[in-house]
Amino acid sequence: MRNPLRAISESGEDRARNRGAVLRRLLVELKPYKGVIALAVVMMALSGAAQGLSPLITGQIVDKVLLTGDLPSLTRMALLLVLAYLVNMVATRFQIYLVSRTGQQILAKLRNEVFAKVESLSLKYLESKQAGDLMSRLINDIDALNNFFTQVLSQFIGAAFTLGGILVAMLLLSWQLGLAVLMVVPILLVVTNVFSRMARRAFRQTRETLGDVSANLEEELGGVRVAQAFNRTQENVRRFARSNAANRDANVSATAITSAFTPAVDLLSTLDMALVAALGGFLVIRGVISVGTVVAFIQYVQSFFRPFQTVTQLWTIAQSAFAAAERVFDLLDMEATVEDKPDAVEMGRIEGHVRFEEVDFSYEEGQPVLEKVSFEALPGQTIALVGPTGAGKTTMVSLIARFYDPTSGRVLIDGKDLRDVRQLSLRSQMGLVTQEPFLFSGSVMDNIRYGHLDASDEEVMAAAHAANAEEFILRLPEGYQTEVGQRGSLLSQGQRQLISIARAVLADPRILILDEATASIDTRTEVLIQKALGQLLKGRTSFVIAHRLSTVRNADQVLVIDQSRIVERGTHEELIQKNGLYAELYRRQFYQPEEESAPAAPAVSS
Amino acid sequence: MRGVFRSLRYLRGYWKPAFGAFISLIIVNFANLAAPQLLRILIDSGITPLNMQVVLQVAGLLVVVALVRGLFFFLQGYWSEVASQGVAFDLRNQIFERLQHLSFSYHDRSQTGNLMTRLTSDVDITRNFVGSGLIQLLSGIILLIGTVTILLRMNPLLTGLFLLSVPAMGLIFAVAVRKFMPLARTVQEKLSALNAVLQENLAGIRVVKAFAREPYELSRFERQNQDYLAHNITLMKLFATFFPLVFFIANLALTAVIWVGGGQVIGGRMTLGELVAFIGYQGYLLLPVFMLGSIGTMMSWAEASSRRIFEVLDAESEVKEAPNAYPLPPVQGRVTFENVTFRYAGADQDALQSVSFEAQPNQTVAIMGRTGSGKSSIINLIPRFYDVREGAVKIDGIDVREVTLDSLRSQIGMVLQETTLFTGTIRENIAYGRPDASMEEIIAAARAAQAHEFISEMPDGYETLIGERGVGLSGGQRQRIAIARALILNPRILIMDDSTSSVDAETEYKIQQALENLARERTTFVIAQRISTVRRADKILLIDNGRLVAEGTHAELLECCELYVDILASQFGAREEVNAAVEEALK
Ligand SMILES: Nc1ncnc2c1ncn2[C@@H]1O[C@H](COP(=O)(O)OP(=O)(O)OP(=O)(O)O)[C@@H](O)[C@H]1O
Ligand SMILES: Nc1ncnc2c1ncn2[C@@H]1O[C@H](COP(=O)(O)OP(=O)(O)OP(=O)(O)O)[C@@H](O)[C@H]1O
Ligand SMILES: [Mg+2]
Ligand SMILES: [Mg+2]
C-alpha cells in the first residue's frame, strides 16, 4: 500500500488512527517559516513580558509612590506604564501580522498544490467526482486549516510553555500535593481523547456535508435552465434544503461536542481543586505541610488548569482542521491513472501516422466499449468515424488523445506507443473539438487564443475566418472583445461550435480531431467550413466524427463502427457500393420509406 | 451596516435559542465572577484557620458553581450555534430558491463559482457574526455599561477621565470599519474569482487537457491565488494594526486615570483605597473593549459579505409574474407570435425582429436557419424564459405574460439545445419533470426516444448511475434521455431544439416515427439542421438574421424560396448520387 491515508479514507474506516500522520503533515508545512515563527514567538514573549510588567508597575505606584507622595516619580512611573503598553501594542501587532500572514501563505501554497494536483488527475477520476465537492476541498477545507496555523498553533505554544513551568514548580513545592493534582491528568487525557475522537468524527461530518452542499449547488446552478423548463424548482429547493439541513445539523452536533468539552474539563479541574483543598487541610493537620503551601497550591492548581484547558480545548478545535486536512490530503495523495512513465520521452514533431493495434477498451470492467479495433491512418489522411450513437466513436478519439489508456492492445503515433510519451508533448500537437463545445468565460478573442497562447490578434482572426466564425463575431456588440459568458452562454450553440473549431485551427495541430464539430451548425456554413478546412488540413492527419454523412464523404478512409467493433472500412464510394451499414445510414438521411407524398430529395436537382 | 442589520432579522425565527444563549452567557459571566470569591472564602476562612467544615462546604459549593457554569457554558455554545446555523440555513435556502427562480438572463451572465462563494463563504461569515458576534457584542455592551455605572458611582471624576477615551476609540473604530469593509469585499470577490477559475477548470477539463493547457491554467490559478493572498494579507495587516491600537488607547486612558488619581491621592483629595478599588475594576473595563474591538472587524466583514448575499436576494428577475397572473387553462395548442421583437440584455441588436407566425393545434412547426439566426431565441420565448421587447407571444390567444409561470411551463415539454443531465440514475433523469411517473411510463418514454434499447443493455438498466452532466453516456445517448425526459410529460406543446443533432440518421428516423405514433394531439416545434428532420412538418419557418424570411411546407418552400433550396443543396453534395440512391431504394 503506497498510501495509507488514501486507503483508509476510501474504506471509510476510523481515520483517527492517522491523527499523527495528519498532524505531522500539517507541521511540515510550517517548516519553511521557521524564522518567521521564531520571530513571532519573540514578539509573543515581548508582549507577554510587557503585559506582565504593567500590573507590577501599577503595584509599585500604589505600594510605594503614592505612600511617599512623590509626584514626579508618579509621572515617571505613569510614563513607564505607557511605554509598556506601547511595547505591548507594537509586539502584538507584529505577532498577529506575522502569524496570520504565515497562515495565509501556507493556505495559498496548499491551494496551488491541490490545484496542480487536480489538473494532473486523469479524466476518468475527475469525471467520476462531483466538481462541487472537489471545489469545497480546495476552497472551504483549506480555509478551515487557517485556525490551525494561526490560533491553535500560536496559543498552543504559549500555553504549553506555561504548563511546563507550573508543573515543575508544583512538584518542587510539595510532591504529595503535586501528585494529587496530577492524578486527575490521566483522567483528563482520557476525556480529551474521547472528546477529540468524537469531535473528529463530527467535524468530518461537517466537512463532508459541506462538500455535498457545494456539489449540489454546482450541479443545480449548471442545470438551472432545465429545472425551470421542467418546473422542478420547488423540488430542487426541497432537495437542497435537505443537504443544507444535514450540514447545519452536523455543525450543531460538532459544536455541541466542543462546547461540552470545556465544562467537562472545568468540572474535573474544580473537583481536583476541591480535592487539593481537602487533602491539603488533612496534611496540614498532620503537620506534613504548612498552610502557606496549601494556599500556594490552590493558586497553582488554578494556573495549572488554565493553560491545560487551553491546550486541550485547542486540541479539540484542531480536530476540525484535521478533518478538513484529511480531505485535502486525500486529494493530494490521489494517484492519477493516466500518468507519465518515469522514462517517458518527448513526442517530437508528429508526422501523423496513427495506428491502433488490437485495441480493447472498457470504462468499467466487463463492459467492453471497443474490441479488437485495428486500423492505420497515414500522415495527411482524413479518417471518418461513422456509426450509430453509442458505438464508441468518441471513445476511439479519446484514446488518440490519451485521455484513457487501452485495456489491451496499443495506440501508436509515428510508431511510438502513447504510454511511453509525455502527455503534454503529445497533446500540444493535437487539436480537438469536443462533442460538447466548451468555452471559458472571457472574450471571444481569449477563447480562440486558448488554442495557441502566443498567437497575435491577426492569427486569431485568421483562425476565426477559417472556421467561418468571423462574420458573426464582427456582428457582436464588441466584436472579438465580447464576453461569451460561462460556457459560452451568451452565444448560440452553433456559434460556440464555430469558436471551438477556430480554437482548434489556431492550435495548428499535427493531428486534428473533430468530434461532431458541426452537429449544431447549419449545413450551409458547414460546407464553407469544410472548404476552408480542406485547405488547412493539407499534410495533417485528421479524424472526423459525424452523423451527417455529407460531412464525411471526402474522407480518405471511412471506418464504420458498430457495437464496439469496426464493421466496415473503405472510401465513401466503396462503402456505398458494398451496400452495408454505411450505405443504409447514408440513404436514411435522404429517404424515409413511409413517406409517400414526395420523393422530394430528387426535386432538388432541378 | 445595512446588510448586517438586515441579516439580523433572520434571527427572528431563532429568537428562543438566541435569547437562551444570551442569558446563558450572562449566567456564565456571573459564575465566573463568583468563583474567585468562593476561592477567597476557601482560603481566608477555610484553610487559613484550618476549619475543615468550611473547607469541605466551600469546596462542594465550588463544584456546584462549576456544574452550573459548565451547564450554561454548554448551553450558550450550543444555542448560539443552533441560532446561527439556523440563520445560515435560512439564508442559503433563500438564496438557492432565488437562484432557481431568477430568469435565464441572470444566469447567462453569472458565474457558478461566484454564486457558490456567496452561498458558502459569505453566508458563513455573516452567520458567524449574527450568531456569536452579536451575542458577544451585546454582552460586551452590557458589561461596559454595568462597569461604567458602578465606577461612576464610585468616582465620577476618574470614570469621566476614562470615558474621554471612548470618542477616540470610537473614531478609530469607525475609520477601521470604513477601511475594512471595502477590503473585505474585495477579498470575497477575489475568492469568488478563484472559485470561478476552479469551477471552469473542472467543468472544462477535457478542453484543458486536449490543448495541454495544464501549465497555463496553473499559472492562471496561481495568479488569482496570489491576488487573493495579497488582499488577505492587507486585510490582516489592517486588523493587526487597528486591534492593538484600540486596546492601547484604552490602556492609555487607564494610565491617565492612575496618574490623575495618584495626584489626587497625593494631594489628599482621594483615599488610596478608592483608587485601588478603581484600578481593580480596570479588567472589567478592558474586557468589553477587547470584545468590541474584535467584533468591529468581524462586523465589517459580515457587512461586506451580507451585502453580497442580498445582492442575489434582491436581484430582479427579468421575467416576473404579473400581480394578477392566473393559471393558464389546459392548452389547446395554438401558438401565436405577433410582431415579436426581442433583444438579449446587454446586446445592442435585436435577436428577433417583428416575427409573426401562428402554429395551429397539433401542427408540427419546423424552424430552420443559420447558426445564430435566432431559432433558439424564438422557442425560448414560448415558455417565457425571456420576455419580448415588443409584440406578444400567445398561447390559445392568451399572452404568456398574463399567466403564472408554473401553469405555463408545466404544459410545455422541452428538449433544450444543450443537453444537461444530472447525477443520479437514468430512471430519475427521465422522470425529472414528473418524479412520480410509473416505471411503465418511463419505459414508454424511453422507447419512444429510442433509448430503451441501450438502457436495457446496461448492467443496471434504468438504475444505472450517471455522473454530472451525464458522464458515462455518449453524446447521442444523452440526447435521447433528454428527449425521453420531455416526452414523459406528455405535454400539449413539445419543443425540440436541435435535439437529434448527435443522433445518427437511423435512430433519428425511428424517434420521428415514434413521435408521430405516440400522440397526435400536440403542437410540436422542431429546430433542426437536417432537411430529413423537418421535411414532413406542417409548416417550416425559415429564419435569417432574426427575421422570418419564409414560411410554408417543404413543397411550397421548394417552389418559392431560394434560401431553402440553398440549404437543401448544401446537404446533398452529389445530387445525382442521392437521386440514384433514393431511386434504388424506391424500387
Ligand atoms: N465515461 C464513461 N464511462 C462509462 N461508460 C461510458 C463513458 N463514456 C461513454 N461510455 C459508454 O461507452 C459507449 C461508447 O460511447 P461513445 O461516447 O464512444 O459513443 P459515440 O460513438 O461517440 O456515440 P455518440 O454518437 O452518441 O456520441 C457508450 O455505450 C457509452 O454509454
Ligand atoms: N444569452 C444571450 N445573450 C446575448 N446574446 C445572445 C444570447 N443567446 C444568444 N445570443 C445571440 O442571439 C443570436 C441568436 O441566437 P440563437 O441562440 O437564437 O441562435 P440559433 O438560431 O439558435 O443558433 P444555433 O443554430 O447556433 O443554435 C446570436 O447572434 C447570439 O449570439
Ligand atoms: Mg460521441
Ligand atoms: Mg440554437
Side-chain angles (χ1 to χ4, degrees), chain A residues 363 369 389-395 435 516 547, chain B residues 458 472 474-477:
Chain A
Y363 288 100
V369 174
T389 97
K393 305 177 294 292
T394 301
T395 308
Q435 192 162 9
E516 307 219 24
H547 285 302
Chain B
M458 300 190 148
S474 83
Q477 291 170 340

Side-chain angles (χ1 to χ4, degrees), chain A residues 43-112:
Chain A
M43 289 297 159
M44 241 182 273
L46 208 60
S47 82
Q51 262 172 37
L53 208 61
S54 35
L56 290 184
I57 300 174
T58 316
Q60 279 280 316
I61 295 178
V62 173
D63 291 349
K64 303 250 169 70
V65 180
L66 294 187
L67 290 182
T68 55
D70 180 1
L71 213 51
S73 76
L74 172 66
T75 310
R76 253 199 324 279
M77 288 303 236
L79 284 177
L80 203 63
L81 203 54
V82 172
L83 191 69
Y85 287 138
L86 205 61
V87 169
N88 184 21
M89 176 179 81
V90 173
T92 310
R93 181 200 179 276
F94 278 105
Q95 185 239 317
I96 295 179
Y97 173 63
L98 290 176
V99 169
S100 51
R101 191 186 64 178
T102 308
Q104 290 299 331
Q105 281 169 335
I106 294 175
L107 300 195
K109 173 174 159 270
L110 275 174
R111 273 194 296 268
N112 280 343

Side-chain angles (χ1 to χ4, degrees), chain B residues 156-428:
Chain B
L157 177 73
L158 295 184
T159 312
L161 201 61
F162 176 79
L163 289 181
L164 273 185
S165 69
V166 170
M169 285 194 282
L171 189 69
I172 295 178
F173 207 82
V175 169
V177 166
R178 179 164 302 169
K179 277 192 147 182
F180 208 86
M181 212 178 62
L183 251 174
R185 190 180 169 95
T186 320
V187 166
Q188 291 305 109
E189 273 162 11
K190 299 289 171 196
L191 180 63
S192 293
L194 197 66
N195 232 337
V197 171
L198 179 60
Q199 196 265 339
E200 284 206 310
N201 259 278
L202 289 171
I205 190 72
R206 232 169 228 269
V207 175
V208 174
K209 286 201 183 288
F211 286 91
R213 283 290 170 264
E214 290 98 331
Y216 167 74
E217 292 296 343
L218 188 57
S219 70
R220 199 155 75 103
F221 183 84
E222 281 175 357
R223 228 181 11 256
Q224 291 281 6
N225 196 9
Q226 184 60 39
D227 205 19
Y228 175 54
L229 172 66
H231 281 87
N232 237 325
I233 289 181
T234 318
L235 197 71
M236 295 298 150
K237 210 185 221 163
L238 192 64
F239 175 72
T241 311
F242 142 81
F243 179 66
L245 187 65
V246 171
F247 214 51
F248 176 67
I249 302 245
N251 275 324
L252 214 57
L254 285 176
T255 312
V257 166
I258 292 173
W259 185 63
V260 172
Q264 296 227 326
V265 171
I266 291 170
R269 283 183 298 277
M270 190 193 281
T271 68
L272 182 59
E274 276 175 312
L275 182 63
V276 171
F278 196 94
I279 293 173
Y281 272 96
Q282 68 178 7
Y284 297 104
L285 276 177
L286 285 179
L287 188 67
V289 169
F290 190 81
M291 277 160 95
L292 295 178
S294 58
I295 287 163
T297 50
M298 204 165 154
M299 189 155 85
S300 36
W301 205 321
E303 175 66 20
S305 283
S306 52
R307 280 196 195 172
R308 279 165 52 85
I309 291 172
F310 292 121
E311 270 167 24
V312 179
L313 285 180
D314 294 343
E316 285 279 330
S317 187
E318 197 189 84
V319 174
K320 269 187 300 219
E321 265 178 21
N324 55 354
Y326 52 91
L328 179 68
V331 164
Q332 294 301 310
R334 188 156 52 88
V335 177
T336 323
F337 273 55
E338 286 175 2
N339 271 315
V340 168
T341 297
F342 167 67
R343 176 180 294 195
Y344 287 100
D348 59 359
Q349 278 174 5
D350 290 335
L352 297 175
Q353 286 171 38
S354 328
V355 173
S356 302
F357 66 86
E358 182 160 85
Q360 298 303 332
N362 307 335
Q363 272 193 338
T364 295
V365 177
I367 307 178
M368 291 193 90
R370 294 197 101 134
T371 283
S373 55
K375 305 180 291 295
S376 300
S377 307
I378 289 185
I379 55 103
N380 279 338
L381 295 177
I382 303 173
R384 209 180 159 212
F385 292 147
Y386 301 92
D387 268 343
V388 300
R389 235 159 94 90
E390 282 162 36
V393 176
K394 292 183 175 167
I395 294 181
D396 294 345
I398 303 172
D399 193 320
V400 292
R401 282 169 296 189
E402 289 172 14
V403 297
T404 58
L405 288 173
D406 272 8
S407 65
L408 171 68
R409 291 177 184 167
S410 63
Q411 303 192 55
I412 300 176
M414 281 207 104
V415 186
L416 296 172
Q417 194 167 14
E418 201 181 3
T419 312
T420 311
L421 302 183
F422 297 90
T423 314
T425 64
I426 290 184
R427 183 178 53 77
E428 284 164 355

Side-chain angles (χ1 to χ4, degrees), chain A residues 415-432:
Chain A
K416 285 184 191 148
D417 189 326
L418 292 190
R419 278 171 292 207
D420 296 333
V421 299
R422 291 233 175 81
Q423 293 173 57
L424 281 187
S425 69
L426 167 71
R427 296 203 190 114
S428 58
Q429 300 185 61
M430 268 188 200
L432 174 62

Side-chain angles (χ1 to χ4, degrees), chain A residues 389 436 441 450 486 590 594, chain B residues 111-112 217 480 509 572:
Chain A
T389 97
E436 276 175 37
S441 26
Y450 202 81
Q486 177 166 296
F590 310 113
E594 274 80 351
Chain B
Q111 284 199 308
T112 303
E217 292 296 343
R480 282 177 281 161
Y509 169 68
F572 297 88

